[in-house]
Amino acid sequence: MSKVLFILVCILWADLNAVAADGITVISFGRADQAALTQAYYRSFRKSTDIEVKSASYDGQMAELEQMVKTGKTVWDVMQVESRTLQLGCQAGLFEKLDYSKIGDKNDFIPGAISDCGVGIFAWSMALAYDADKVKVAPGSWADFWDVKKYPGKRGLRRSARYTLEIALLSDGVAPGDVYKLLATRQGVDRAFARLDRIKSDILWWEAAAQPAAFLTAGNLVMTSAYTLWIDREQQRKKNFRIAWDGSLYDVDSWAIPKGTPKVSSAYRFIAFASQPEYQKLLSENVAYGPTNRKALPLLGAELIGKMPSAEANLRRALKIDTAFWIRHGEALEKRFNSWAPPVCRQQTDDDEDYDEQALCQDAQGKLRIRPEAEPHKHKDGDKDGEPHKH
């Protein structure tokens, strides 16, 4: 070996050791995600490569990354991002454009898991959920959800235009592939709201991910739209909750590489590692997210496969959420929706007067609380006229 070649080898070896010593920083969401990602990916990657993974969580906001990229001081190496963040961040130059020759075969991934700046970590889903102990004839689709004669009682929907308008059109017989084409027209939007009008008095609106399962448990609902992850958690607690997958909505969270990280090579190694089926299998065994790598599904048992949003049978009639559509049309649609749907009551207790802050709102039982518009009066607790209660 020549002296020059020997020096180059030594430099390369030193650089590799420095990367291993410094490790990489992977930013993810809090909650259960970080624990599950650690168990499935971070520890295994360290064991396989000697590259330490320093993990931290964030709330999904991009201000800190924007500042890093702007100042050229990027200290995050890999990030978990939602679809909207990924698309806007890619357009703004906050993420590296990915070279898939360093990651894997694009054909191995489910639809929607591959983009210019991101590769899917897992798939999540929203679907129709119900309590099988209370609903004897299982609903099979959103059309059943709208059938208040066959299934009398309250049904839950997320209080937002996003997801709810898609479900309305699916319930009206629109094929998944045509939903966003129709919603991009005035006629399509009017059709979705007209469909919602038919069951408006039967809807119990929810806002937080945990609420659908809680409302089912409390007996406030006969069925509901719900994030399937939260229904799976209740199933593990022996609740007889079931999911009708026909017409489910799904999306993916993705890995992205922040622009300007000096550890791009190690970031690619991590993403390629985490995209392998055997490690995606580990994630799905710990939390009911669907693998984005199709080859991971056969590694799971039949019972687990049935719970996965990305299982072939569950994807067959599923709708991939169109992030670009909601970036373009979301503001206008949410404004119309908010003027149509009643707000959810705040500060709820058993005392009706605790709803006086809002002229009109819906309580946790789906009842509308209406405050009569009368002349200013003195509240019995001594509050001044026109001032809100201090609960």
Side-chain angles (χ1 to χ4, degrees):
M1 181 183 297
S2 70
K3 185 175 181 180
V4 173
L5 182 58
F6 176 77
I7 292 172
L8 290 174
V9 169
C10 289
I11 292 172
L12 177 61
W13 182 255
D15 287 343
L16 289 174
N17 283 338
V19 168
D22 293 340
I24 59 171
T25 299
V26 179
I27 305 298
S28 64
F29 301 133
R31 310 182 302 276
D33 281 13
Q34 195 169 21
L37 294 172
T38 297
Q39 189 165 353
Y41 302 134
Y42 304 163
R43 292 173 184 167
S44 301
F45 183 69
R46 169 68 177 84
K47 185 176 180 180
S48 177
T49 64
D50 285 332
I51 299 175
E52 191 70 45
V53 174
K54 303 172 184 176
S55 63
S57 63
Y58 80 123
D59 62 2
Q61 300 301 312
M62 299 301 289
E64 193 169 355
L65 177 62
E66 289 171 356
Q67 185 64 20
M68 290 181 194
V69 174
K70 181 179 179 180
T71 59
K73 298 178 180 178
T74 303
V75 296
W76 295 346
D77 306 307
V78 179
M79 292 180 66
Q80 175 189 4
V81 291
E82 294 180 335
S83 293
R84 179 182 175 86
T85 302
L86 178 63
Q87 185 159 334
L88 292 176
C90 192
Q91 293 171 358
L94 298 179
F95 300 123
E96 298 283 345
K97 295 290 182 70
L98 295 181
D99 178 357
Y100 278 91
S101 68
K102 299 177 181 179
I103 296 173
D105 188 345
K106 291 183 179 181
N107 294 321
D108 288 343
F109 293 85
I110 64 171
I114 296 297
S115 64
D116 287 345
C117 294
V119 57
I121 309 169
F122 56 74
W124 57 265
S125 183
M126 179 178 288
L128 194 165
Y130 61 98
D131 187 339
D133 288 336
K134 298 175 181 176
V135 179
K136 300 307 179 184
V137 180
S141 69
W142 295 115
D144 288 334
F145 190 92
W146 255 253
D147 191 342
V148 295
K149 291 183 179 179
K150 186 176 181 179
Y151 301 98
K154 293 290 183 181
R155 47 260 290 132
L157 284 173
R158 185 175 185 261
R159 195 190 177 283
S160 70
R162 188 175 185 177
Y163 312 150
T164 301
L165 295 184
E166 290 100 321
I167 288 171
L169 290 182
L170 290 169
S171 78
D172 204 23
V174 177
D178 295 329
V179 166
Y180 288 110
K181 298 175 189 175
L182 199 56
L183 273 183
T185 68
R186 179 59 183 264
Q187 294 83 356
V189 175
D190 288 345
R191 180 175 170 180
F193 276 100
R195 187 70 173 163
L196 287 168
D197 277 331
R198 293 183 57 180
I199 61 168
K200 188 174 184 178
S201 62
D202 300 290
I203 299 172
L204 171 57
W205 298 107
W206 60 266
E207 295 177 310
Q211 285 181 310
F215 288 157
L216 283 174
T217 299
N220 295 353
L221 297 170
V222 293
M223 63 186 74
T224 182
S225 65
Y227 294 107
T228 58
L229 173 68
W230 289 82
I231 299 301
D232 178 76
R233 290 174 178 174
E234 294 305 312
Q235 290 172 335
Q236 292 182 37
R237 298 185 179 105
K238 307 304 180 183
K239 297 285 179 61
N240 196 17
F241 294 172
R242 304 285 178 84
I243 295 170
W245 288 96
D246 190 1
S248 64
L249 281 61
Y250 82 96
D251 203 355
V252 299
D253 279 16
S254 298
W255 296 122
I257 300 176
K259 193 76 172 180
T261 170
K263 300 177 182 178
V264 172
S265 178
S266 293
Y268 268 112
R269 289 185 68 185
F270 173 79
I271 293 176
F273 181 91
S275 298
Q276 293 177 33
E278 56 267 37
Y279 298 108
Q280 291 206 351
K281 165 185 173 286
L282 290 178
L283 181 69
S284 295
E285 287 176 337
N286 283 282
V287 62
Y289 288 136
T292 56
N293 189 322
R294 289 189 179 97
K295 293 181 178 179
L297 288 163
L299 304 179
L300 297 167
E303 183 178 353
L304 272 182
I305 291 176
K307 297 180 178 182
M308 295 295 113
S310 56
E312 183 177 350
N314 296 339
L315 281 182
R316 192 171 296 125
R317 287 276 297 165
L319 172 64
K320 171 67 174 66
I321 296 166
D322 189 337
T323 301
F325 171 88
W326 284 106
I327 290 174
R328 290 193 303 270
H329 303 287
E331 185 176 356
L333 291 177
E334 294 294 351
K335 182 177 180 181
R336 177 170 174 178
F337 183 88
N338 283 327
S339 68
W340 175 85
V344 175
C345 295
R346 307 299 177 191
Q347 305 294 332
Q348 297 184 39
T349 73
D350 291 333
D351 185 350
D352 289 355
E353 291 184 350
D354 284 338
Y355 297 102
D356 276 358
E357 278 190 22
Q358 294 166 282
L360 172 70
C361 65
Q362 185 189 70
D363 66 18
Q365 285 72 45
K367 297 177 183 177
L368 285 179
R369 302 278 179 166
I370 302 174
R371 174 167 56 85
E373 293 296 331
E375 291 183 6
H377 62 281
K378 187 94 171 177
H379 297 298
K380 68 179 182 180
D381 61 1
D383 287 350
K384 294 180 180 179
D385 292 347
E387 289 189 358
H389 281 282
K390 306 295 191 294
H391 298 302

